[in-house]
């Protein structure tokens, strides 16, 4: 496979930023010479790179890769290298702000802010019921913060309607793992990318979005890489075989590959018999319903290519499948994950080196909230519906078992819907920015306007979302607080406070602590905790014996080792690579994984003559989501200052549009206007692509708010649009 990593020029960037060299002046100014170095973990994506923060006074003046770190081996991508520039940005949130009688946000003291928060939430609950209060959090806090927040919301406030932006992101992977393996938890390790002889990436553009993962693929000299993506991404350019399938035909492709594996006698019969349930049904289903001709028609790939891909995977000694949002962002996300798990199970490619159905996560700590957060499951992947799990947790916390909810509350989109229809009256938003990131903006704006009380807790203000708030709480961010993040390979890494937050901003942990104190439940929920390490130590006890066992970890060991992978039970030593399900025992009662039959359905917002093109949305390497952080970094803004729309030359010609023309993108729900056109063969004819980072030209004005019925994840990756020359205004 070709190395695109070096082509992206990260090595150059590394030199430029690492030791405090001034990229403009070209030399190291005294102002930027570090007095001390603090070890930490990157706060952007889920790769979980290790970094050294160079500190001078109360400022991080340089960032460099942590040499010998088990994930990143001294490298960082452009965002990691420049992350410290976000801390001193002029629009960091500095003080609590409360909306006054004239409708203006006005500075208040912390005690006033906390009193307002608890009084208004309690009033909402008194008048409209306990569950009229909702909380939407994130994948970007520290695990200690998630753990504390879960207790505060579910036990302190007694509302179940607590979810996070992770439902816009990882929910399909979580649901898929639960359906196939009986529990959430990605089985593999990054090392598998180095050792697999065949790797299939599905809807994952790691060259842009998980750049430092690329070096693990680069190190896999003899490996064969297949990339399934409708676009010719930078990742597709690294591949031995690019599978440019039609949008949302992944289930057909995966079923077709499984069909080939069955037809060619490549099923690992012994593994399937011992460790899975449902083979006879799946076999019949695939042989009858997914012959190559049908798969070819559904995917747009030719039958020989599909047969080749199936045989390559079937013959692999070590076969890896990794996926990201091309899979999850779909009304069939959870089912697509099941189809991926089928392929791994049929070939016995689970739990050994180079073999894993691996969900690459997104945010720095999407995993932490899944493990400890009390949203999609009870802490420690305990099940809401399982009495013994509830009782065990209650005993650990010394509360009565009837205080542990028996079912999860509303998921994120259902909280928004309930706010529109009046069921949710007050909402607390923590570290997410829906007024950029939520699909079909009309709906979320309606929801916010309908609320009696909206709290926004963010490191920045104003943000598009904080503008709607009745109360803004200023939060410390990465670099200013201490705790742990879990990356995609279940590695728990330590993040450290190198500097103090600006003005009156406080860590989310301290805010939750103070809210609990104001509410009068601090001693019950956070008994004798003084800081994050006490929360971590309690979490170690609560996770003990569970799949995500932290009991053998300590802060000191995490810092010394560059993170440790769970499970890490008490008594474990060293930093060996760990995998789940190596013994073939899965988390169902009978220990067997489930094979599911899944049909490929068309996406919901289909094209017609008025809306003839399929719009795909996603990311670019320079920016992070809604740009509250990366727009503050000059070098990143210079590289990608505006949104753009990618369109194939065939369509551009038919529409008489030239590159750099301004266009409007119109869907059945809205329009986004004046976007720069890029004419490029990255996208196929009939398809267009736009990044979602830019509030100024927000693609989520047009995306579709259809959700996976199982995971509740939005269908961000396909909707019908038309593109026209920008209207003159
Ligand atoms: N630079 C940067 N890195 C990031 C982030 C960021 O904002 N910026 N965000 C982080 C987060 S939270 C996440 S979740 C990850 C996301 O990481 P990715 O999933 O890699 O990101 P996306 O660009 O959203 O989508 C990936 C690919 O899915 C493809 N796709 C679209 N439709 C289909 C389809 O029907 N089938 C298939 N097979 N593919 C399809 C798109 O063309 C796109 O190339 O990135 C993380 N890393
Ligand atoms: N069209 C389209 N839309 C998408 C996607 C897509 O591919 N296409 N991807 C979806 C996905 S996968 C995701 S994950 C979401 C992401 O969407 P968001 O979660 O809305 O994006 P972020 O910009 O990461 O928002 C994080 C917020 O938290 C703040 N923040 C950062 N650190 C801290 C902290 O430590 N404490 C506090 N309190 N605040 C902090 C930031 O300033 C920012 O406002 O977007 C989704 N939306
Ligand atoms: S790859 Fe991800 S974790 Fe690593 S430096 Fe870049 S943004 Fe940070
Ligand atoms: Mo995400």
């Amino acid at each position: 496979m070709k190395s695109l990593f070096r082509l992206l020029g990260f090595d150059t960037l590394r030199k430029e930023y690492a030791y405090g060299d001034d990229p403009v002046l070209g030399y190291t100014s005294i102002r930027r010479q570090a007095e001390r170095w603090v070890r930490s973990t990157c706060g952007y994506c889920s790769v979980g790179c290790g970094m050294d923060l160079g500190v001078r006074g109360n400022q991080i003046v340089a960032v460099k890769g942590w040499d010998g770190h088990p994930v990143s081996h001294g490298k960082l991508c452009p965002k990691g290298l420049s992350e410290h520039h976000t801390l001193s940005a002029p629009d960091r949130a500095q003080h609590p702000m409360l909306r006054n009688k004239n409708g203006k946000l006005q500075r208040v003291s912390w005690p006033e802010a906390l009193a307002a928060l608890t009084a208004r939430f309690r009033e909402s609950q008194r008048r409209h019921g306990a569950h009229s209060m909702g909380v939407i959090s994130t994948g970007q806090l520290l695990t200690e913060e998630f753990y504390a927040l879960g207790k505060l919301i579910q036990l302190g406030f007694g509302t179940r309607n607590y979810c996070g932006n992770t439902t816009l992101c990882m929910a399909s992977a979580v649901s898929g793992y639960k359906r196939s393996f009986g529990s959430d938890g990605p089985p593999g390790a990054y090392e598998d990318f180095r050792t697999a002889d065949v790797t299939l990436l599905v809807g994952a553009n790691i060259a842009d979005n998980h750049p430092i993962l690329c070096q693990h693929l680069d190190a896999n000299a003899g490996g064969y890489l297949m990339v399934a993506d409708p676009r010719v991404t930078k990742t597709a350019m690294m591949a031995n075989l690019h599978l440019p399938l039609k949008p949302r035909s992944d289930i057909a492709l995966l079923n077709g590959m499984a069909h080939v594996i069955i037809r060619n006698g490549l099923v690992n019969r012994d593994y399937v018999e011992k460790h899975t349930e449902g083979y006879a049904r799946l076999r019949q289903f695939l042989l009858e319903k997914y012959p190559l001709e049908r798969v070819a028609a559904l995917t747009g790939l030719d039958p020989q290519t599909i047969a080749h891909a199936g045989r390559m995977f079937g013959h692999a000694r070590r076969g890896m499948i990794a996926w990201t949002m091309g899979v999850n962002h779909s009304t069939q996300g959870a089912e697509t994950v099941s189809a991926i798990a089928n392929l791994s199970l049929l070939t016995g490619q689970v739990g050994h080196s180079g073999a894993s159905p691996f969900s690459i996560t997104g945010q720095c700590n999407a995993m932490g909230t899944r493990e400890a957060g009390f949203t999609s499951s009870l802490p420690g992947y305990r099940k809401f519906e399982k009495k013994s799990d509830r009782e065990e947790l209650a005993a650990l916390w010394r509360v009565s078992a009837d205080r542990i909810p028996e079912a999860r509350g509303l998921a994120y989109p259902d909280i928004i819907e309930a706010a529109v229809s009046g069921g949710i009256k007050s909402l607390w938003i923590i570290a997410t920015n829906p007024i950029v990131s939520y699909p079909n903006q009309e709906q979320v704006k309606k929801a916010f306007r309908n609320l009696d009380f909206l709290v926004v807790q963010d490191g920045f203000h104003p943000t598009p979302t904080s503008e709607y708030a009745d109360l803004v709480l200023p939060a410390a961010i990465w670099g200013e607080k201490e705790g742990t993040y879990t990356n995609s390979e279940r590695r728990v890494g330590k993040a450290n406070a190198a500097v103090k937050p600006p003005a009156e901003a406080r860590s989310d942990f301290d805010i939750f602590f103070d809210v609990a104190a104001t509410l009068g439940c601090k001693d019950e929920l956070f008994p004798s905790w003084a800081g994050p390490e006490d929360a971590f130590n309690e979490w170690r006890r609560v996770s003990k014996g569970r799949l995500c066992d932290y009991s053998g970890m300590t802060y000191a060991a995490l810092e010394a080792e560059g993170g440790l992978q769970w499970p890490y039970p008490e008594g474990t030593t060293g930093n060996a690579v760990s995998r789940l399900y190596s013994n073939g025992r899965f988390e169902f009662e009978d220990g067997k994984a489930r094979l599911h039959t899944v049909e490929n359905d068309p996406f919901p917002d289909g094209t017609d003559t008025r809306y003839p093109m399929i719009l795909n949305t996603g990311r670019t390497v320079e920016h992070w989501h809604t740009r509250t952080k990366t727009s503050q970094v000059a070098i990143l803004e210079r590289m990608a200052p505006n949104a753009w729309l990618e369109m194939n030359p065939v369509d551009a010609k038919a529409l008489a549009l030239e590159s750099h023309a301004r266009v409007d993108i119109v869907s059945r729900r809205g329009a986004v206007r004046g976007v720069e056109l890029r004419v490029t063969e990255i996208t196929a004819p009939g398809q267009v692509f736009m990044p979602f980072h830019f509030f100024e030209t927000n693609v989520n004005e047009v995306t579709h708010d259809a959700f996976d019925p199982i995971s509740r994840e939005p269908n961000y990756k396909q909707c019908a649009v038309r593109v026209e020359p920008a209207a003159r205004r």
Side-chain angles (χ1 to χ4, degrees):
M1 65 193 75
K2 284 182 234 150
S3 164
L4 219 103
F5 181 60
R6 242 155 266 124
L7 286 177
L8 290 171
F10 299 152
D11 289 342
T12 334
L13 266 175
R14 177 180 181 209
K15 243 176 46 219
E16 195 174 288
Y17 265 74
Y19 300 100
D21 295 355
D22 191 306
V24 181
L25 301 175
Y27 58 85
T28 305
S29 63
I30 301 280
R31 276 183 302 117
R32 304 190 65 207
Q33 274 175 10
E35 291 162 343
R36 61 193 171 96
W37 291 90
V38 177
R39 293 238 128 136
S40 197
T41 305
C42 181
Y44 281 115
C45 92
S46 60
V47 174
C49 297
M51 44 173 53
D52 289 323
L53 313 179
V55 185
R56 185 178 185 85
N58 190 44
Q59 213 190 339
I60 303 179
V61 292
V63 168
K64 61 178 177 175
W66 171 337
D67 274 330
H69 188 274
V71 166
S72 43
H73 303 285
K75 290 237 164 80
L76 295 171
C77 85
K79 288 185 303 306
L81 281 168
S82 57
E83 191 163 10
H84 54 303
H85 291 290
T86 61
L87 298 177
S88 52
D91 53 355
R92 286 296 306 280
Q94 314 260 342
H95 308 283
M97 311 277 280
L98 184 64
R99 203 166 287 282
N100 65 18
K101 289 204 173 66
N102 305 322
K104 293 254 176 318
L105 282 171
Q106 185 184 347
R107 183 173 161 181
V108 292
S109 70
W110 268 109
E112 284 171 299
L114 294 163
L117 181 144
T118 47
R120 298 285 296 273
F121 280 145
R122 279 299 191 218
E123 181 193 317
S124 166
Q125 292 186 298
R126 214 168 26 245
R127 288 180 51 194
H128 306 287
H131 302 301
S132 69
M133 172 192 171
V135 181
I136 295 171
S137 91
T138 183
Q140 296 173 56
L141 300 184
L142 298 150
T143 298
E144 293 76 358
E145 296 176 333
F146 286 129
Y147 181 69
L149 178 64
K151 287 181 101 177
L152 175 63
I153 298 308
Q154 306 261 16
L155 304 181
F157 281 102
T159 176
R160 286 189 316 196
N161 297 328
Y162 167 37
C163 195
N165 68 1
T166 42
T167 293
L168 312 182
C169 178
M170 301 314 308
S172 298
V174 173
S175 302
Y177 276 137
K178 285 183 182 171
R179 279 161 53 93
S180 293
F181 300 152
S183 170
D184 185 19
Y190 293 160
E191 191 193 71
D192 298 331
F193 288 109
R194 296 174 171 253
T195 57
D197 41 36
V198 177
T199 301
L200 170 64
L201 291 177
V202 192
N205 179 13
I206 59 171
D208 270 299
N209 304 321
H210 301 90
I212 300 302
L213 267 189
C214 293
Q215 67 174 327
H216 294 278
L217 280 160
D218 278 353
N220 187 341
Y224 190 83
L225 176 65
M226 304 190 277
V227 173
D229 195 308
R231 294 161 68 221
V232 192
T233 59
K234 292 169 194 154
T235 311
M237 293 179 205
M238 292 166 61
N240 299 87
L241 178 66
H242 175 213
L243 299 163
L245 74 181
K246 285 188 193 168
R248 256 294 281 281
S249 61
D250 300 85
I251 291 178
L253 172 66
L254 295 159
N255 280 351
M257 288 173 68
H259 178 114
V260 170
I261 284 167
I262 292 171
R263 264 279 139 80
N264 288 276
L266 298 173
V267 171
N268 184 335
R269 297 301 296 260
D270 185 51
Y271 188 90
V272 166
E273 234 152 75
K274 281 196 189 121
H275 303 304
T276 72
E277 205 266 330
Y279 177 61
R281 200 179 53 242
L282 178 65
R283 182 175 187 280
Q284 192 189 358
F285 169 81
L286 292 173
L287 291 181
E288 273 174 20
K289 295 214 160 161
Y290 285 86
L292 285 190
E293 305 66 47
R294 177 161 183 246
V295 175
L298 287 168
T299 57
L301 302 170
D302 64 74
Q304 296 87 319
T305 305
I306 300 159
H308 171 72
R311 279 197 302 268
M312 279 308 290
F313 196 79
H315 281 294
R317 277 176 305 129
R318 293 180 299 273
M320 178 85 175
I321 313 178
W323 77 90
T324 321
M325 292 306 131
V327 168
N328 290 354
H329 280 165
S330 150
T331 48
Q332 284 197 290
E335 289 186 312
T336 313
V337 173
S338 300
I340 288 173
N342 284 348
L343 209 48
S344 300
L345 291 166
L346 287 175
T347 48
Q349 299 289 7
V350 187
H352 59 95
S353 175
S356 165
F358 193 78
S359 128
I360 306 171
T361 55
Q363 302 167 82
C364 56
N365 203 21
M367 286 290 293
T369 185
R370 283 153 73 170
E371 297 154 11
F374 216 144
T375 49
S376 58
S377 52
L378 300 173
Y381 295 141
R382 290 178 177 86
K383 298 185 168 91
F384 285 108
E385 62 278 9
K386 199 167 160 192
K387 189 162 178 260
S388 56
D389 279 359
R390 294 196 303 273
E391 286 173 352
E392 188 180 78
L393 192 62
L396 281 161
W397 283 343
R398 300 198 182 91
V399 300
S400 76
D402 57 14
R403 286 178 63 193
I404 312 285
E406 291 175 23
R408 69 169 294 182
L410 297 177
Y412 185 162
D414 306 305
I415 293 178
I416 298 301
E417 230 160 77
V420 172
S421 61
I424 292 280
K425 291 289 189 187
S426 55
L427 188 61
W428 187 359
I429 291 186
I430 302 158
T432 183
N433 195 2
I435 300 292
V436 185
S437 57
Y438 194 76
N440 185 10
Q441 285 287 304
E442 192 49 39
Q443 187 73 355
V444 68
K445 287 175 190 161
K446 209 187 287 173
F448 287 2
R449 283 194 293 262
N450 238 5
L451 292 167
D452 288 344
F453 185 55
L454 174 65
V455 182
V456 174
Q457 179 168 321
D458 203 287
F460 294 81
H461 173 71
T463 71
T465 301
S466 76
E467 303 259 34
Y468 281 78
D470 298 297
L471 175 66
V472 177
L473 299 179
I477 62 175
W478 166 92
E480 298 164 346
K481 55 185 186 173
E482 181 186 25
T484 55
Y485 297 134
T486 312
N487 75 0
S488 299
E489 61 161 359
R490 293 171 282 104
R491 182 177 298 278
V492 180
K494 182 83 195 303
N496 281 319
V499 293
K500 290 195 178 58
E504 290 189 280
R506 285 186 193 177
S507 74
D508 297 277
F509 187 86
D510 288 341
I511 297 173
F512 303 145
F513 216 72
D514 291 345
V515 171
T518 315
L519 210 56
C521 58
K522 184 173 115 327
D523 293 337
E524 185 191 39
L525 302 185
F526 312 142
S528 61
W529 292 7
E533 191 162 8
D534 298 311
F536 184 78
N537 286 334
E538 184 178 305
W539 166 235
R540 287 170 54 202
R541 288 197 298 282
V542 168
S543 66
K544 189 175 172 169
R546 307 295 306 171
L547 194 63
C548 52
D549 192 330
Y550 276 54
S551 58
M553 296 181 191
T554 61
Y555 269 10
L558 296 179
E559 284 179 14
E561 297 286 342
L564 295 167
Q565 282 182 285
W566 62 251
Y568 203 86
E570 222 160 14
T572 315
T573 52
N575 198 357
V577 171
S578 100
R579 295 182 181 83
L580 304 182
Y581 313 126
S582 294
N583 58 3
R585 229 201 114 69
F586 293 87
E587 291 287 300
F588 287 107
E589 296 287 332
D590 62 5
K592 290 190 171 186
R594 301 296 190 259
L595 294 164
H596 290 274
T597 54
V598 289
E599 286 280 15
N600 192 103
D601 297 332
F603 59 87
D605 191 46
T607 53
D608 61 16
T609 49
R610 289 193 65 206
Y611 304 100
M613 305 194 85
I614 302 170
L615 172 69
N616 172 2
T617 67
R619 298 161 162 75
T620 181
V621 66
E622 300 86 2
H623 282 301
W624 181 256
H625 295 162
T626 71
R627 270 167 67 251
T628 58
K629 287 174 76 174
T630 47
S631 68
Q632 313 285 351
V633 183
I635 193 169
L636 300 177
E637 271 291 278
R638 272 208 301 278
M639 287 195 280
N642 302 305
W644 67 89
L645 184 78
E646 290 172 4
M647 179 185 278
N648 188 276
V650 170
D651 294 315
K653 191 163 174 224
L655 292 167
L657 290 167
E658 299 207 340
S659 221
H660 309 298
R662 298 279 152 179
V663 295
D664 293 348
I665 302 145
V666 187
S667 79
R668 298 186 174 101
R669 293 152 297 278
V672 48
R673 303 197 181 276
V675 179
E676 182 185 343
L677 189 72
R678 274 190 197 172
V679 178
T680 164
E681 288 179 342
I682 290 173
T683 37
Q687 300 173 30
V688 286
F689 172 86
M690 183 167 159
F692 82 101
H693 304 296
F694 299 85
F695 170 64
E696 303 80 355
T697 38
N698 186 358
V699 77
N700 281 321
E701 297 288 349
V702 300
T703 49
H704 191 207
D705 51 344
F707 303 94
D708 182 327
I710 302 169
S711 70
R712 307 305 288 144
E713 180 144 343
N715 201 91
Y716 281 123
K717 291 288 184 263
Q718 305 88 21
C719 72
V721 296
R722 75 169 171 270
V723 178
E724 21 184 69
R728 261 182 227 284
R729 266 164 300 156

